[in-house]
Amino acid sequence: MRKNIVAGNWKMNKTLQEGLALATELNVALAKAKPNCEVVIGTPFIHLASVVAAIDTKKIHVAAQNCADNDSGAYTGEVSAAMIKSTGAEYVILGHSERRGYYGETSDILYDKVALALTNGLTPIFCCGEALEVRNANEQNAFVKTQLEEAVFNLSVDDFKKIVIAYEPIWAIGTGVTATTEQAQEMLAFIRSLIVRKFGKEIAENTSILYGGSCNAKNAPELFAQPDIDGGLIGGASLKVADFKAIIDAF
Ligand code: PGA
């Protein structure tokens, strides 16, 4: 059975000390709780090892927000999947629209990143999602299908089984404009139908597909109640424990 997941994406926020304080506060808030979902926090690279050491990693799982598309060597400033794994992190967010848009990450690059993450035992949270122009032209399904085909549908069945998908329409990220519940459910059902066609019903039923984009404590209960929405990738609202905990409690 697929997992429900609430994953925070801190993006480029919090110094090491602030990040440790946030992670520790979340750890305390969840100490006696029994969440009905897997809780993940996606921190900047430099926080990973310290955060892992500061929390109960049976309750809170740690993600990086990116990894290199090479395994090691002369790539100044890059961080490899093996390095991430060595911190105790278990997940890596890949293909976020901010990475695609600001740092030129193409599907070819993402294919390599996904493969390296998997080889190193990390679970990729693979992001996809269209810009507003694409949505306005009603071409979102074809757009997302291409993103999936180019980066993850060529994986072997065994590898595909290990990934998590996050649909994040760019127009909903950080804007306060959430996709309507219908729009989110419709797209996630569409993605699942593509997985059925490519890998079969059983794999599709077991793939966790998340919604992201201005997800908050208010809209999470309705979003998470949809049959194809298995959780959320949460940006802004993951930076405050009370908000993030309320989203976790939406399951
Ligand atoms: P947001 O970001 O929740 O702040 O809209 C989501 C994301 O980019 O993952």
Side-chain angles (χ1 to χ4, degrees):
M1 202 45 209
R2 61 191 186 245
K3 272 185 206 167
N4 293 327
I5 300 172
V6 171
N9 175 9
W10 291 3
K11 307 192 181 184
M12 195 176 74
N13 291 295
K14 306 287 177 191
T15 63
L16 177 59
Q17 291 73 21
E18 291 165 351
L20 268 173
L22 177 60
T24 306
E25 191 188 335
L26 181 66
N27 196 51
V28 170
L30 293 180
K32 292 208 177 78
K34 285 208 174 75
N36 290 318
C37 59
E38 177 132 320
V39 177
V40 180
I41 50 177
T43 81
F45 289 131
I46 62 146
H47 299 53
L48 293 171
S50 312
V51 165
V52 165
I55 58 171
D56 176 357
T57 52
K58 281 191 218 74
K59 262 206 173 134
I60 305 174
H61 305 266
V62 177
Q65 300 170 18
N66 181 26
C67 74
D69 55 346
N70 285 288
D71 57 9
S72 67
Y75 302 101
T76 302
E78 288 293 285
V79 176
S80 72
M83 292 173 189
I84 293 167
K85 180 71 179 178
S86 74
T87 66
E90 297 165 78
Y91 286 84
V92 57
I93 300 167
L94 290 175
H96 191 282
S97 58
E98 288 152 16
R99 300 288 325 162
R100 294 176 190 261
Y102 304 149
Y103 303 101
E105 292 196 2
T106 60
S107 291
D108 283 352
I109 292 173
L110 290 170
Y111 181 81
D112 291 342
K113 291 188 177 196
V114 169
L116 282 165
L118 288 166
T119 305
N120 286 283
L122 294 168
T123 300
I125 301 177
F126 180 80
C127 304
C128 56
E130 80 288 351
L132 189 59
E133 309 84 78
V134 177
R135 169 68 60 168
N136 286 341
N138 199 27
E139 283 165 2
Q140 65 275 6
N141 285 12
F143 185 89
V144 167
K145 180 169 184 263
T146 303
Q147 285 185 321
L148 293 169
E149 282 173 349
E150 289 178 347
V152 291
F153 279 3
N154 286 332
L155 293 170
S156 67
V157 182
D158 280 346
D159 277 346
F160 185 83
K161 275 197 219 163
K162 297 177 191 146
I163 75 167
V164 172
I165 293 174
Y167 167 65
E168 299 204 301
I170 297 170
W171 45 273
I173 295 178
T175 57
V177 181
T178 325
T180 64
T181 305
E182 293 71 31
Q183 285 171 324
Q185 163 57 26
E186 199 179 0
M187 177 57 86
L188 270 59
F190 171 68
I191 292 172
R192 203 176 303 282
S193 76
L194 295 175
I195 303 171
V196 171
R197 245 183 284 165
K198 180 78 195 165
F199 295 103
K201 197 161 168 30
E202 198 192 325
I203 305 250
E205 283 304 319
N206 286 305
T207 303
S208 296
I209 312 179
L210 316 182
Y211 167 77
S214 300
C215 186
N216 57 40
K218 247 188 160 162
N219 56 34
E222 193 178 309
L223 286 163
F224 296 173
Q226 302 306 305
D228 287 290
I229 302 183
D230 306 316
L233 182 55
I234 319 295
S238 69
L239 296 172
K240 288 210 180 93
V241 168
D243 294 350
F244 192 53
K245 170 84 167 40
I247 296 173
I248 292 165
D249 291 341
F251 270 117

